[in-house]
Structures are given as C-alpha cells and as structure tokens.
Amino acid sequence: MTAAPGEDRIEVGIVRRGDRVVRLDITARRPIGIGRLAQGKSGETVVALVPRLFALCASAQGVAAAQALATARGISLALAVIAAQASAVLAERMIELLRGTVLLLGGGGSPALTHQLRDLMIAARPSNPAAPLEDDAIARIAQGLEALGLTPRAFADVAACRSWLGSESLLAELHRPLVAEAEFGAAAVDPLTAADDAMIGERLIALGPSFAVRPDLAGRVPETGAVARTAHHPVVAAFGSGLFGRLLARLIEIAATPEQLRAIRRRDADAAAVVQSMRLGDGIGLAAVECARGRLYHLMALDAAGTIRQFEILAPTEWNFHPEGPLARALVGTKLQASEADRCRVERLVAAFDPCVGFDVRFREAADA
C-alpha cells in the first residue's frame, strides 16, 4: 500500500534447514513515502491527493486521511459523513477481497466471473460520495453475490459451508481442491484491534517511518485482515487459519457486506467497526480504517500554522509481512521441499495474506542465507 505501487515489491525468502523452514527473510523495495511529500502542505491538499496516489484501497486511504485531519483539528465529523465513509470502505473492501480471491484461484480467465465482478464493481461505486450507498445499489450487490453463491446463510455454520462447497457454484468449485490442505499455513491468530491504536499512535509519533515499515508492539506483531476480523466465526474456527480458512474468511466478509451496508444506511450499525479516530494531543490525529487487507493507520500532526508537520501511513502489509509476523508464524517449522509444487503452495499462501504489491518466493538453504 504505497504511493507508487509499480515500484514496490516484496521478496519472501524461505530459509530451510533440511526439509524444514527455519525462518523467513522478507524484504521490500519501497519508494519514497508520501509522508515526506506532505510536510509543509495544507491538510486539504494532502487529503485530496491521497486517494489519487493509491491504485488499491483508494477509498480507505482517502477516508483515513480525512479522519486523521479532522481529528487533528479537533473537529467531530457529522454522523452522516462517517456513515458515507464507512459505506465506501465496506463496498471497496468487498470488491478487493473478491477480486483478490478470484485471481488467487485462477478464476480470472472465466468470462462469467469476470462479468459478474465487473457488475459488482459498477454497483459498488457510489453515485453520491457524500452519502451511504443507495438501497438499489445495495440490492444489486446482494443479487450479484447471490448469483455467485455468496450469501450469509451459505457460511452460517460448518454444515452450511460444506453444503456450499458441494454446490455448482464456480467459486465453490475453485475452493474445493484446497479443503485437503486446510492445515497448510495454520497458526494461532493474534488480532490487531482498536485496543492497540493508542500505542501504535505513540510509536508513529516518536519513531515515524522506521516504525511504519517495521512495526511491533513490545515484541508483539499481531495479524490484521479478514482472518483477524472473523477469527471467532464458527466456520473460520472450524477450518483454522491455514490457506483454506483464510479464503473462507474473505468469503464470509464478502457475503456479509450487503446487510452491513444496509445497517450503515439505516444508522443501525456502529461505523466504528470500520472507521475510528482518536486525538493524541494538540494538533495530532490518528485514524484507523478496516480495509480489505486489514487495519490501515494514518497519523497527521499539524504545526501552529495548521500545515502538516508529520504524516505517517502504516499499512496492513507491514504487520502481516513482518519477518517475525503472521506469515512467518504460518511457515516457520513447516516441512517444504524446494520443488515447484511447494513453491506454488507458498505462493498461494502469500497471496492469501495479500501484500497488495507484487512478490517473489525464493527457497534458500540455511547455510547459504
């Protein structure tokens, strides 16, 4: 999640001793951060610029910047504005999760899936950015998801999920081969939550970019994303946090989106589940947005003239692809051969963690690393 995704890439080095993974070497090539470019500029300029700089999750980035600026100024946004922001993030999250899943499973070559995804993208695009998605758009989204077999009842419990897997849905067909490998990449999930926000804000203020590219909370590197948000769902709890469970967590969130959008529109749901912010001192605002890949943070600090003196973005990728983070925990100790088959297994798992940039997987022997 960078301002120039074409220049960014992650390398995942699988370091083995014998046939066992002993560690992961994860490196990233990152362009110059937007934080440096924002210094000395007005908040409005940066808020307008941010969503144009990100090819993925542009709505989430724009919402995070707007929330951070308002909070830094001590302004409480109207409930209608927050509802519109949460609606935009939810709709975008659904599309990103579905598109990533289709590509991961090789469904991008299916004309039917491509057509259905395109229709959903059109329906999810707000006609009025200042208001929550309209009822007819939500209805079209629900109809589109139902055509894909993605309804809340399909994932209500394990029995319903198994029934869905046996259905004629193309998405179910694409998921079926992964059931046999449900344990691959499974590890305990330590979710990143709102309870961590204040400490993260303090670290961003004190350490800036060095924390944003290698975050940890007193040695703890939690996970963020669909699995972290749905860890207690009965289906995710049953199938675990391996590759298959991670994809199911995405489907559960996708299928729940229409009702979440309706609840936001009716003001029956707390938008804080999607968008939150807090003031960390005079002129300092922290925003947290639950986007497709996890909890996205923007920190904005203003000087006495009201211009930006510090702007930090902490992307979900930095937690999940930390060398001691969730991906590492999923693979260290696993038996893997330096074969094309095991390389493909690892690539699917890496894609399920969804780094939002290109990546390469390389096997190394411990003696060579």
Side-chain angles (χ1 to χ4, degrees), residues 31-366:
I32 295 173
I34 187 177
R36 190 185 307 175
L37 302 176
Q39 290 177 1
K41 293 183 172 59
S42 71
E44 286 81 5
T45 297
V46 173
V47 168
L49 179 64
V50 162
R52 301 206 300 268
L53 292 176
F54 292 88
L56 300 175
C57 297
S59 291
Q61 294 283 356
V63 167
Q67 281 275 346
L69 176 61
T71 305
R73 288 175 169 172
I75 297 171
S76 296
L77 294 176
L79 293 178
V81 173
I82 297 172
Q85 291 176 335
S87 181
V89 171
L90 283 170
E92 178 183 73
R93 186 167 89 184
M94 173 198 68
I95 293 298
E96 291 291 333
L97 289 172
L98 183 56
R99 179 166 50 193
T101 300
V102 168
L103 292 175
L104 187 157
L105 295 174
S110 163
L113 278 179
T114 301
H115 178 77
Q116 288 168 310
L117 181 58
R118 184 193 64 197
D119 287 349
L120 282 166
M121 290 173 67
I122 293 170
R125 193 176 301 134
S127 58
N128 178 9
L133 212 60
E134 296 177 353
D135 288 329
D136 63 337
I138 298 172
R140 293 200 305 275
I141 289 171
Q143 291 166 3
L145 293 179
E146 186 166 6
L148 291 169
L150 300 180
T151 64
R153 64 179 178 276
F155 306 100
D157 53 34
V158 175
C161 182
R162 291 193 185 280
S163 177
W164 175 81
L165 284 167
S167 72
E168 296 181 357
S169 161
L170 179 53
L171 275 179
E173 181 182 329
L174 291 172
H175 280 79
R176 277 198 290 272
L178 301 178
V179 178
E181 287 196 290
E183 294 299 315
F184 180 64
V189 176
D190 173 17
L192 182 69
T193 70
D196 300 308
D197 290 356
M199 182 182 292
I200 288 168
E202 291 167 2
R203 297 291 178 89
L204 284 171
I205 292 168
L207 302 175
S210 64
F211 180 78
V213 299
R214 187 64 66 86
D216 75 88
L217 301 174
R220 175 176 162 248
V221 185
E223 175 166 351
T224 189
V227 164
R229 291 189 292 254
T230 61
H232 298 297
H233 190 284
V235 172
V236 176
F239 285 101
S241 62
L243 172 60
F244 183 60
R246 290 183 175 281
L247 296 182
L248 287 180
R250 292 184 181 193
L251 299 183
I252 289 164
E253 289 206 323
I254 292 166
T257 301
E259 186 50 42
Q260 290 175 321
L261 289 170
R262 292 188 188 103
I264 290 290
R265 183 167 179 78
R266 295 190 306 259
R267 310 281 176 87
D268 290 343
D270 186 358
V274 184
V275 179
Q276 287 184 306
S277 63
M278 63 169 59
R279 206 161 195 233
L280 298 173
D282 289 343
I284 305 175
L286 177 74
V289 175
E290 286 287 356
C291 63
R293 292 158 185 87
R295 200 164 180 83
L296 166 70
Y297 290 95
H298 280 207
L299 179 124
M300 196 174 290
L302 309 177
D303 61 20
T307 57
I308 294 175
R309 63 176 175 82
Q310 184 181 10
F311 181 42
E312 310 293 349
I313 298 178
L314 171 51
T317 298
E318 309 303 346
W319 299 101
N320 292 339
F321 286 83
H322 189 290
E324 298 174 8
L327 177 63
R329 293 194 292 268
L331 286 173
V332 170
T334 303
K335 292 180 70 174
L336 286 175
Q337 302 297 322
S339 64
E340 190 59 28
D342 275 357
R343 182 189 306 279
C344 288
R345 294 171 76 204
V346 172
E347 286 176 346
R348 284 197 298 267
L349 184 65
V350 172
F353 274 92
D354 203 351
C356 87
V357 294
F359 64 87
D360 302 296
V361 173
R362 305 187 191 282
F363 284 89
R364 303 179 186 136
E365 296 301 318

